[in-house]
Each structure stands twice: as C-alpha cells, then as structure tokens.
Amino acid sequence: MKKALYMAWWSGLLLAAPLKAVGQDVSYPEAIDSFVNTVLDETDIKRERYARCGRAVLMKARPGGLTRDSVLRVKTREEIWGEYQTAPGYRSGRKQLPYEFYELLDMLEAPEEKAVIAQAAMGFVRDEDGDRPWPLAAYELAKAKLQLGVADTNLLKPYIDVQLVLDCRKQKMDNFGNMWWAGWYNDEDFVWLHAAILCRAGLCSQACKLVWILYFGWHGCCRPYRVTATEQDTERRERLWKLLARTVGEE
C-alpha cells in the first residue's frame, strides 16, 4: 500500500512537469548553480555497496610483486593516513592496494586530493563485472571534478542504463548457463550526480530526459523501483526534481 501511494505521488509530480522540462535547452545559470550545489551537498554514494571490490587485499600484483608483509597484514586506517602524508608515490596513488584506496577515499576531503586518488583507483580496481572501473572511484572522481568546476559527462555513463530500473543489480549468464552479478546500474546518487554534471556542461534538457526516463520510462508509465523509499528520500527527490526543472525555466 505504501509503495503504491509513493509511486502515485511520484507519477503525479513528474507528469505535472511541463514538456519544456524534457525538451528545450535554455540557459538559466542561477538555477543550474542551485541544482548542482544541492546535488553536491545532498548526495553521497552507498560505500558499502561497492566495498567488496575496494576491500580486496589479494589482487593482481603491481609491477615488482607484493611482499609477504603486504599480503598477510592489512594496514590500519591510521597507518594508511600516515603513509599518505609521508611515503613517496603514495599521494599520487602509485603504491596502494585496493583496500587502501577504499579507506583513503573515505578519509580525504579536499577535492583536488581525492581526484588524484580516485583517478589512480579507477585504473587499478575493477567492478565486480570485471569490465567497468570501480564505481566508487568513478563516483568520487566525478564529484571531485564537479566541485573543481570540471563537468566530465563521460565518467558515469557506464553505470547508467535507461533500459533498466533504478537501483538495479544486473545479472549475466556465462556460456555454461551460470548466472553471475554484473554490477550495479542506475544507483540513484549516480543518476543525480550525472544530471548535475550534464547541467554544468549546459545540457540541462538531457539531464531532465535522463531523470524522466529512469523514473518513468519512455511512455510516462511508472517504472518499478526496487528500494523502499524513506520519507527523507521522497522529500529529497521532490526537491531535486523541482530544482532540475528550473534549469530549463520551469517553476
């Protein structure tokens, strides 16, 4: 009953949006700033969802191999932070193992520092499907770049698929008929961050279309949503959609 009421509310909210909100590109700088800043302040990746890849200790060795100590002993957060402050090459992301990237991305706050580590992690840690870069690193890099005024519209594309529902953990079948997880798609925080990046790049109508399709589908029909929404989630979605609609001149 609660799910039906929520979907009816969300359906009414989006269907009430004027068509211009999913059509024309018009420049409204103040509205874009408001939407982007709100997304940066109010969205945060579900770190535990992507922890399995990032916490791995025994991964493919870097050139030169792994020492016995580095394999058998996991560093504490304090040790990782200490090495980041002092060890040559650590700040540039050339000496970390995956679990060290995971901890550093949680500890670092300055976007210029986080961008360096996230970029290095994307080149070294893979998603559970083995094909895409680690989603946590991609999200942190995209967010750090946006905070620095850079709108990279390609970074989050591999994690969004308009043919799938929101918050979807995709499965694939191998040649022997075995099912295996192929990673998460359409994580809601990825969707809003990508929409903010598109707006910062001046592609506001594309951002509106993306949100519209993922919440509704191509024909305006309510799509299934796999995560139970809290009252806080619902309020945030309403606020973000209204801010996004204003980037194309709608109140």
Side-chain angles (χ1 to χ4, degrees):
M1 182 64 180
K2 287 184 178 180
K3 181 178 180 180
L5 289 174
Y6 166 71
M7 296 308 291
W9 167 85
W10 185 243
S11 176
L13 175 67
L14 284 187
L15 287 177
L19 291 179
K20 192 198 301 184
V22 290
Q24 305 170 13
D25 259 330
V26 185
S27 179
Y28 294 90
E30 291 184 2
I32 292 173
D33 288 343
S34 178
F35 174 66
V36 170
N37 291 335
T38 302
V39 169
L40 288 174
D41 290 341
E42 298 190 13
T43 57
D44 196 16
I45 192 171
K46 304 172 184 69
R47 289 176 52 79
E48 292 300 317
R49 174 175 288 182
Y50 307 102
R52 181 180 177 185
C53 303
R55 284 179 172 164
V57 178
L58 299 175
M59 296 284 287
K60 180 180 177 183
R62 291 178 178 276
L66 299 174
T67 67
R68 177 180 175 82
D69 288 340
S70 65
V71 172
L72 298 181
R73 183 176 177 282
V74 177
K75 299 171 186 173
T76 65
R77 283 171 64 93
E78 291 73 19
E79 289 174 324
I80 292 171
W81 185 249
E83 285 203 47
Y84 179 77
Q85 299 295 333
T86 60
Y90 213 83
R91 276 184 172 269
S92 58
R94 297 198 303 270
K95 293 190 175 182
Q96 287 89 341
L97 292 178
Y99 79 93
E100 295 173 77
F101 284 122
Y102 181 83
E103 299 297 350
L104 276 174
L105 288 173
D106 186 41
M107 291 188 283
L108 291 172
E109 296 183 0
E112 58 272 14
E113 295 183 2
K114 185 171 283 191
V116 173
I117 296 301
Q119 183 74 66
M122 281 191 68
F124 186 58
V125 186
R126 309 303 295 176
D127 192 12
E128 55 189 324
D129 60 10
D131 297 326
R132 302 180 301 175
W134 186 26
L136 176 64
Y139 177 90
E140 295 287 12
L141 180 58
K143 189 171 185 178
K145 281 189 170 184
L146 188 58
Q147 288 173 320
L148 295 170
V150 179
D152 190 334
T153 58
N154 292 317
L155 264 176
L156 299 183
K157 279 185 178 180
Y159 312 94
I160 296 174
D161 187 342
V162 296
Q163 302 301 323
L164 302 174
V165 298
L166 278 169
D167 231 25
C168 175
R169 196 178 185 198
K170 192 175 180 180
Q171 287 184 312
K172 287 185 179 180
M173 182 180 293
D174 63 21
N175 295 332
F176 302 98
N178 300 312
M179 297 299 295
W180 52 281
W181 293 115
W184 287 92
Y185 287 79
N186 301 336
D187 184 313
E188 191 167 1
D189 289 313
F190 277 68
V191 172
W192 286 117
L193 182 59
H194 188 57
I197 292 170
L198 290 173
C199 285
R200 181 59 75 202
L203 304 173
C204 300
S205 67
Q206 287 190 29
C208 290
K209 289 175 184 176
L210 173 70
V211 173
W212 178 280
I213 291 169
L214 285 174
Y215 277 102
F216 268 107
W218 295 94
H219 303 294
C221 300
C222 228
R223 306 189 74 174
Y225 187 59
R226 295 188 177 180
V227 175
T228 302
T230 65
E231 184 176 342
Q232 184 178 5
D233 291 334
T234 302
E235 190 275 335
R236 186 188 70 162
R237 289 171 196 156
E238 179 181 8
R239 184 172 61 258
L240 289 177
W241 172 256
K242 288 180 178 178
L243 290 173
L244 177 56
R246 288 172 186 164
T247 66
V248 289
E250 297 298 340
E251 292 297 330

